[in-house]
């Protein structure tokens, strides 16, 4: 069943019916204030940190779903009939409905009995608030007298405490009407310098600050007693559940249109609230802010534009994938409709991967955050697993003896992120920036990278491979045991690639002694992997605490894992013959109709020594699902070995656009990537979960732009090395790189996947396929002819 379509001209996804299989959401944020809104007005807001600074409350995994939210009610005063312009929460059947999720805004339009309405939600670029703009029009031939109600339910600031410490939280909040600013104002007795406010441009006639007074006993947001009666009760919340419910009147002549502005936000004092109200008190000012928002997104997207024979590919690569990457960069895995944001923090590993998707567009912000997060590294070289943006502190969650805790891969990701940043920007000065360790000592960033290598070098197991620690990239592969000797082959491959990346950085920086050491260590690990980790058709995944192999033909379950095949190729440890053989095994044992599974066969029962990986139902999460994050690594591997048809096939299998016509199967949003798609060992094969905040976003964008289109930054220029479907005649790309615009025209007359016959730069043939750095603020034309 189809629930919507893409509007390419407006860069929107249009949802045509409200009852989507799951809430289909959008993130409206300016990097500090974030409002998550669903296609029916559900969702919540927070400021910087969704745990410590939650503004609106949300009930996860609830029945009815997607409650509460940013709700409006319209009530006909003659008939007493009422409805919601966003469908939720009244869920009354509307005569017409449409939701447009755009870049940084959501617009929900509907009609009911001749009353047309539109609600526009967005967060302005420079202020800590959100705007709701209601436009209502009378399409009938009669005068219409309407009551307009609004509803927002406040969180008690700390989202964790809000959910569980009711004996305390139900006694600390105050929500009341402030006539001077025509707003509901909410604060906590313990919050000395902070106010939450909800303003209406219509004169507020009645209000409620107390939830129970507005909703009524044994009722819900679907049928509030205040709306039914046609007036709020003017209640004040002194303790209890604070809300901002307001009512006002709208009179509409036939064909008349009126607009009402609502502001929801936070401020240090009432004077600042007055400034906000003055700034956004009329439509012209709001339209100016909305135009600025759109311009910001236009500027963000214009750094890369592809025109290929596949319109769906263009749609994702040019608009929706970069849009999702910006959201993951802002919030990592911190908070979503699946992640509650309570105690989660920002993953160190996650953040460093997220930089890969935005580095070309937001290099200054990437630089700033790389330096901040490097400060949660220990002198030993390991890092905290999680990072909290307000305190700028790290944590290993749920562990008491922190000296014995580390994740085998976490620290290595900073090398990949720094390498990518320098290739994109040429900014070697970041390596000289002084950054503290957790213990307080200070060294430059380059030394931090070296310490990451030293930690892995100093923590190896009986077979010579890196210890897995608590886990590696697969958080649920925990390899428990008394000896703490579990070894990760995936981390070994990442270690090899990290050594090569750091070798390149050292070479470019003229640090020759380090180059020799890094190359030596990389060669030793490559040899060891090919001697001890090759299983005949593929590479094994790990050794457990007692030395038993995992991911081998010897195993009945968990025989083959995807990651050690793709990373064998990506890291450069696999000779050509083995690279082909292991990726052929991926195709034989792991590829499904909806993507590539993480492992096969899945574990059929719980194995204590393997930990969480065997706790999931077969086909879910790390136990045999299509873990989307890992699929672009397979796409990259196929590009490296030159099989463009396979790489593109795998790309299309998880691409959101391919899910639009199977929405009842996929269930999650068809405009962004999801973390997981249920595997074919599960009866709900094809269901997707954990959309939006996933490393899939950054890695799939890199796979598409850097490897399939083959336009990737290197230390000394822009490399052109496409690996495309043989059916393509070619493609064009406009790519901003180091203060120049590269207009790239790729021709494929012989319909091959990989190989370049000649490259002409500004009408001159060049040798090789590395386009020089111009740094001249000019445009340059690059014509690439593919051929054997």
């Amino acid at each position: 069943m189809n629930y919507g379509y893409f509007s390419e001209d407006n860069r929107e996804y249009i949802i045509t019916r409200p009852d989507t299989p799951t809430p289909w959401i959008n993130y409206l944020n300016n990097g500090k204030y974030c409002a998550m809104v669903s296609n029916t007005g559900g969702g919540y807001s927070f400021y910087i940190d969704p745990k410590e600074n939650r503004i609106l409350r949300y009930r996860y995994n609830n029945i009815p779903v997607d409650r509460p939210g940013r709700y409006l009610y319209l009530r006909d005063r003659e008939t007493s009939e009422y409805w919601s312009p966003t469908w939720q929460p009244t869920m009354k059947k509307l005569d017409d409905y449409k939701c447009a999720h755009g870049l940084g805004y959501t617009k929900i339009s509907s009609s009911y009995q001749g009353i047309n309405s539109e609600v526009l939600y967005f967060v302005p670029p420079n202020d800590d608030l959100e705007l709701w703009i209601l436009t209502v029009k009378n399409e009938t031939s009669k005068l219409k007298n309407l009551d307009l109600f609004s509803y927002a339910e406040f969180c008690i600031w700390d989202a964790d405490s809000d959910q569980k410490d009711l004996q305390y939280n139900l006694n600390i909040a105050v929500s009341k009407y402030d006539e001077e600013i025509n707003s509901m104002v909410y604060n906590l007795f313990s919050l000395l310098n902070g106010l939450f406010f909800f303003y209406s441009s219509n004169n507020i006639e009645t209000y409620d600050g107390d939830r129970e007074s507005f909703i009524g006993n044994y009722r819900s947001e679907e049928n509030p007693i205040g709306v039914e009666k046609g007036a709020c009760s003017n209640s004040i919340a002194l303790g209890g559940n604070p809300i901002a419910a307001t009512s006002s009147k709208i009179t509409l002549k036939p064909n008349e249109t009126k607009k009402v502005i609502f502001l929801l936000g936070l401020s240090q004092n009432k004077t600042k609230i007055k400034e906000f109200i003055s700034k956004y008190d009329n439509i012209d000012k709001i339209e100016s802010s909305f135009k600025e928002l759109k311009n910001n997104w236009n500027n963000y997207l214009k750094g890369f534009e592809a025109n290929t024979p596949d319109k769906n590919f263009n749609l994702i690569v040019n608009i929706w994938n970069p849009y999702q990457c910006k959201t993951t960069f802002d919030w990592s895995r911190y908070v979503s409709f699946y992640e509650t944001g309570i105690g989660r923090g920002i993953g160190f590993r996650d953040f460093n991967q997220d930089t890969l998707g935005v580095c070309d567009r937001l290099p200054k912000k990437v630089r700033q955050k790389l330096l901040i997060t490097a400060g949660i590294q220990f002198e030993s070289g390991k890092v905290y697993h999680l990072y909290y943006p307000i305190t700028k502190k790290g944590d290993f969650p749920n562990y008491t003896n922190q000296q014995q805790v580390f994740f085998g891969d976490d620290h290595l990701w900073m090398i990949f992120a720094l390498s990518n940043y320098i290739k994109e920007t040429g900014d070697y000065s970041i390596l000289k920036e002084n950054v503290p360790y957790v213990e307080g000592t200070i060294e430059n960033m380059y030394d931090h990278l070296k310490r990451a290598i030293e930690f892995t070098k100093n923590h190896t197991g009986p077979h010579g491979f890196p210890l897995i620690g608590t886990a590696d990239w697969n958080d649920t592969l925990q390899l428990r045991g008394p000896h703490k000797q579990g070894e990760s082959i995936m981390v070994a491959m990442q270690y090899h690639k990290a050594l090569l990346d750091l070798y390149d950085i050292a070479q470019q920086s003229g640090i020759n002694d380090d180059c020799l050491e890094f190359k030596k260590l990389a060669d030793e690990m490559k040899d060891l992997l090919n001697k001890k980790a090759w299983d005949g058709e593929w590479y094994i995944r790990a050794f457990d605490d007692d030395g038993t192999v995992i991911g081998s033909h010897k195993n009945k379950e968990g025989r083959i894992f995807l990651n050690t095949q793709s990373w064998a190729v990506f890291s450069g440890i696999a000779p050509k013959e083995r690279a082909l053989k292991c990726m052929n095994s991926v195709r034989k044992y792991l590829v499904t109709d909806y993507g590539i599974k993480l492992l096969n066969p899945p574990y059929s029962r719980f194995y204590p020594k393997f930990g969480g990986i065997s706790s999931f139902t077969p086909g879910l999460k790390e136990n045999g699902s299509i873990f989307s994050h890992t699929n672009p690594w397979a796409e990259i591997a196929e590009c490296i070995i030159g099989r463009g048809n396979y790489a593109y096939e795998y790309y299309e299998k998880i691409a959101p656009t391919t899910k639009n016509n199977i929405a009842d199967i996929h269930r999650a949003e068809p405009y962004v990537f999801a973390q997981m798609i249920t595997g074919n060992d599960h009866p709900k094969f094809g269901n997707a979960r954990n959309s939006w905040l996933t490393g899939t976003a950054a890695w799939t964008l890199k796979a598409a732009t850097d490897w399939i289109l083959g336009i990737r930054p290197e230390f000394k220029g822009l490399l052109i090395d496409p690996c495309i479907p043989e059916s393509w005649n070619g493609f064009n790309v406009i790519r901003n790189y180091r203060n120049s615009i590269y207009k790239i025209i790729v021709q494929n007359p012989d319909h091959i996947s990989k190989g370049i016959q000649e490259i002409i730069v500004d009408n001159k043939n060049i040798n090789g396929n590395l386009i020089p750095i111009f740094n001249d603020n000019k445009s340059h034309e690059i014509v690439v002819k593919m051929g054997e």
Side-chain angles (χ1 to χ4, degrees):
M1 188 176 291
N2 196 304
Y3 290 81
Y5 60 92
F6 289 94
S7 171
E8 295 183 40
D9 292 341
N10 293 323
R11 294 174 173 173
E12 296 174 339
Y13 185 84
I14 309 296
I15 301 168
T16 54
R17 50 185 293 176
D19 56 338
T20 50
T22 59
W24 287 4
I25 73 166
N26 199 2
Y27 282 78
L28 322 179
N29 83 94
N30 57 21
K32 294 189 298 181
Y33 190 105
C34 182
M36 297 165 59
V37 60
S38 76
N39 58 299
T40 58
Y44 58 97
S45 308
F46 62 90
Y47 178 67
I48 299 178
D49 187 318
K51 175 184 179 294
E52 303 291 343
N53 297 347
R54 187 75 65 95
I55 298 169
L56 292 185
R57 182 178 284 163
Y58 191 75
R59 289 180 276 278
Y60 285 89
N61 197 28
N62 192 45
I63 296 176
V65 298
D66 197 21
R67 298 278 183 91
R70 300 164 179 81
Y71 293 145
L72 299 175
Y73 305 82
L74 290 170
R75 179 180 180 273
D76 189 318
R77 291 207 296 275
E78 293 182 11
T79 65
S80 298
E81 190 171 5
Y82 61 90
W83 67 97
S84 296
T86 56
W87 188 65
Q88 283 258 50
T90 63
M91 296 185 290
K92 187 159 289 184
K93 183 174 174 58
L94 300 169
D95 299 326
D96 187 48
Y97 163 89
K98 182 174 74 173
C99 171
H101 281 322
L103 306 184
Y105 67 91
T106 288
K107 190 184 298 181
I108 302 175
S109 308
S110 65
S111 63
Y112 185 76
Q113 295 189 355
I115 302 298
N116 289 356
S117 58
E118 176 190 277
V119 186
L120 170 65
Y121 301 104
F122 75 95
V123 172
N126 303 310
D127 291 314
D128 301 329
L129 56 86
E130 59 189 87
L131 289 152
W132 315 356
I133 300 95
L134 171 68
T135 303
V136 60
K137 182 179 181 181
N138 179 9
E139 293 278 6
T140 74
S141 58
K142 297 180 179 180
L143 183 75
K144 286 290 183 178
N145 294 304
L146 305 175
D147 292 319
L148 169 62
F149 291 84
S150 62
Y151 180 83
E153 184 172 342
F154 291 114
C155 179
I156 311 294
W157 200 228
D158 183 322
D160 187 16
S161 177
D162 182 74
Q163 295 289 311
K164 61 188 183 185
D165 195 3
L166 300 184
Q167 64 83 26
Y168 176 79
N169 290 323
L170 292 180
N171 300 285
I172 63 173
V174 179
S175 182
K176 60 185 179 180
Y177 175 65
D178 188 314
E179 186 175 2
E180 181 184 358
I181 54 176
N182 194 44
S183 302
M184 296 299 295
V185 176
Y186 154 66
N187 69 345
L188 306 176
F189 281 126
S190 59
L191 195 64
L192 300 179
N193 294 306
L195 294 172
F196 302 85
F197 67 96
F198 184 85
Y199 163 82
S200 170
S201 63
N202 255 19
N203 184 52
I204 295 175
E205 298 196 356
T206 65
Y207 58 85
D208 274 311
D210 174 66
R211 186 181 71 183
E212 283 64 36
S213 298
F214 179 73
I215 298 292
N217 290 334
Y218 301 102
R219 290 170 174 262
S220 72
E221 302 96 335
E222 183 179 355
N223 58 346
I225 189 66
V227 176
E228 283 198 3
K229 287 183 175 181
C232 301
S233 61
N234 292 345
S235 64
I236 297 174
L238 295 172
N241 293 289
I243 63 169
T246 70
S247 76
S248 59
K249 289 180 169 48
I250 299 178
T251 299
L252 293 171
K253 299 174 184 177
N255 294 314
E256 186 179 11
T257 298
K258 288 186 177 179
K259 293 179 182 287
V260 181
I261 300 164
F262 298 97
L263 305 183
L264 169 64
L266 73 160
S267 174
Q268 293 298 309
N269 52 61
K270 191 187 291 188
T271 300
K272 186 63 178 178
I273 294 175
K274 290 179 180 178
E275 291 176 9
F276 284 148
I277 292 171
S278 176
K279 185 173 181 179
Y280 297 104
D281 65 352
N282 68 59
I283 295 302
D284 288 340
K285 295 177 182 178
I286 288 173
E287 286 181 351
S288 176
S289 179
F290 190 52
K291 183 178 179 181
E292 182 184 4
L293 174 73
K294 286 194 166 187
N295 286 339
N296 288 350
W297 280 108
N298 288 339
N299 291 333
Y300 172 77
L301 292 177
K302 71 181 182 181
F304 188 101
E305 183 179 350
N307 182 14
T308 77
D310 187 339
K311 290 185 178 180
N312 286 334
F313 180 86
N314 301 342
L315 195 63
I316 295 298
V317 167
N318 293 337
I319 302 171
W320 291 97
N321 199 172
Y323 181 53
Q324 184 178 1
C325 283
K326 174 63 166 61
T327 304
T328 61
F329 177 70
D330 285 338
W331 308 117
S332 192
R333 313 297 170 269
Y334 209 165
V335 61
S336 70
F337 275 42
Y338 303 90
E339 293 277 7
T340 66
I342 299 174
R344 172 65 167 83
I346 291 176
F348 185 86
R349 169 205 303 145
D350 300 329
F351 160 75
N352 279 281
Q353 292 176 90
D354 294 337
T355 67
L356 306 180
V358 299
C359 192
D360 57 328
R361 294 176 167 94
L362 303 172
K364 292 181 181 179
K365 289 185 177 181
V366 167
R367 188 186 201 275
Q368 179 186 31
K369 285 192 174 184
L370 285 172
L371 291 169
I372 291 172
T373 53
I376 63 168
Q377 186 182 28
F378 291 80
E379 291 174 354
S380 67
K382 75 174 183 179
V383 297
Y384 275 124
H385 190 56
L386 295 180
Y387 162 77
Y388 297 95
I390 288 182
T391 64
K392 294 183 172 56
K393 302 294 184 182
D395 191 17
F396 293 114
N398 306 319
Y399 295 99
T400 54
N401 186 0
Q402 294 186 0
Q403 294 302 318
Q404 299 299 318
V405 175
F406 64 91
F407 285 72
D409 66 314
D410 275 352
H411 48 286
L412 297 175
W413 290 103
M414 66 193 297
I415 297 176
F416 303 142
L418 261 293
S419 174
N420 181 74
Y421 169 78
I422 294 171
K423 287 177 180 179
E424 184 64 50
T425 64
D427 176 21
Y428 289 90
S429 69
I430 191 172
L431 299 173
K432 298 178 182 179
E433 292 283 355
N434 289 327
V435 179
Y437 293 102
V438 171
E439 295 88 344
T441 56
I442 296 174
E443 284 187 325
N444 64 39
M445 180 63 96
Y446 179 74
D447 288 326
H448 276 255
L449 303 184
K450 287 179 65 176
R451 293 219 186 201
I453 292 294
E454 286 295 315
F455 184 83
T456 299
K457 177 186 172 184
N458 294 334
H459 291 78
T460 57
H463 297 88
F465 297 117
L467 292 173
I468 197 170
T470 301
D472 60 15
W473 173 90
N474 187 331
D475 288 318
T476 66
L477 184 62
Q478 293 155 346
L479 306 186
R480 298 166 177 165
H483 309 296
K484 295 181 170 51
Q485 293 294 301
E487 297 167 272
S488 170
I489 300 304
M490 181 178 177
V491 174
M493 293 172 175
Q494 291 178 305
Y495 176 59
H496 178 265
K497 178 167 173 51
L499 284 164
L500 294 184
D501 281 5
L502 201 49
Y503 167 88
D504 288 337
I505 290 172
Q507 187 179 55
Q508 296 299 320
S509 303
I511 310 173
N512 296 326
D513 290 344
D514 284 352
C515 290
L516 295 174
E517 176 67 9
F518 298 148
K519 186 65 167 61
K520 172 178 169 291
L521 291 172
D523 289 344
E524 289 172 353
M525 185 53 66
K526 180 177 181 178
D527 291 343
L528 189 66
L529 282 163
N530 281 295
K531 287 176 182 176
K532 295 185 177 181
W534 178 248
D535 198 57
E537 291 184 80
W538 58 79
Y539 288 90
I540 65 170
R541 182 61 175 84
F543 291 99
D544 70 12
D545 189 54
D546 60 15
T548 303
V549 67
I550 297 171
S552 166
H553 71 279
K554 299 173 184 177
N555 305 126
K556 291 182 179 180
E557 297 173 343
R559 296 179 73 233
I560 178 172
F561 285 70
L562 172 60
N563 287 355
T564 41
Q565 317 323 315
S566 56
W567 272 86
V569 181
F570 188 25
S571 70
I573 70 101
K576 183 176 181 179
E577 181 182 348
R578 288 185 177 181
L580 288 167
K581 189 173 283 190
C582 74
M583 292 308 296
N584 285 341
S585 294
V586 167
R587 190 162 183 83
K588 182 177 180 180
Y589 298 112
L590 299 176
V591 173
T592 76
D593 289 343
Y594 299 131
I596 310 173
K597 298 196 296 184
L598 193 58
L599 63 87
N600 194 45
Y603 295 104
S604 61
R605 65 177 181 86
F606 179 64
Y607 295 87
K609 70 175 185 176
F610 295 160
I613 192 170
S614 60
S615 68
F616 300 116
T617 301
L620 294 181
K621 292 289 279 185
E622 284 88 345
N623 191 21
S625 80
I626 299 157
F627 215 87
S628 304
H629 188 153
T630 65
N631 278 229
W633 294 336
E635 297 159 24
I636 292 169
E638 290 292 355
C639 287
I640 290 171
I641 60 180
R643 302 196 297 196
N645 290 338
Y646 287 170
Y648 203 72
E649 176 190 335
Y650 299 157
Y651 177 89
E652 286 191 301
K653 284 181 182 293
I654 66 166
T657 47
T658 64
K659 314 305 179 187
N660 203 43
N661 293 326
I662 57 166
D664 278 326
I665 296 174
H666 188 70
R667 297 184 63 80
E669 299 93 329
Y671 44 90
V672 291
F673 291 94
Q675 178 209 67
M676 184 204 83
I677 300 171
T678 305
N680 58 0
D681 298 284
H682 193 281
K684 294 185 178 180
F685 177 39
N687 284 189
R689 299 180 184 176
N690 294 35
S691 59
W692 277 96
L693 300 188
T694 164
T696 313
W699 276 111
T700 305
L701 188 61
K702 292 295 279 186
T705 59
D706 290 25
W707 295 94
I708 293 174
L709 298 181
I711 300 169
R712 58 183 179 270
E714 295 291 346
F715 292 107
K716 293 187 176 181
L718 196 63
L719 191 72
I720 311 294
D721 185 26
C723 188
I724 58 176
E726 293 173 353
S727 60
W728 283 13
N729 293 318
F731 62 88
N732 299 337
V733 165
I734 298 174
R735 207 316 187 164
N736 290 355
Y737 179 62
R738 301 206 196 176
N739 301 314
S740 296
I741 300 173
Y742 292 65
K743 296 183 176 180
I744 303 164
I745 303 164
V746 176
Q747 303 165 347
N748 188 22
D750 298 331
H751 289 275
I752 61 174
S753 281
K754 193 177 181 76
I756 293 175
Q757 191 175 94
E758 68 173 358
I759 295 180
I760 301 172
V761 178
D762 294 334
N763 298 314
K764 295 180 181 179
N765 283 79
I766 67 165
N767 294 322
N769 60 344
L770 186 68
I771 312 303
I773 298 165
F774 297 104
N775 195 22
D776 58 3
N777 295 306
K778 296 180 180 179
S779 295
H780 299 270
E781 184 179 83
I782 296 95
V783 179
V784 180
K785 184 177 181 182
M786 297 180 67
E788 299 291 346

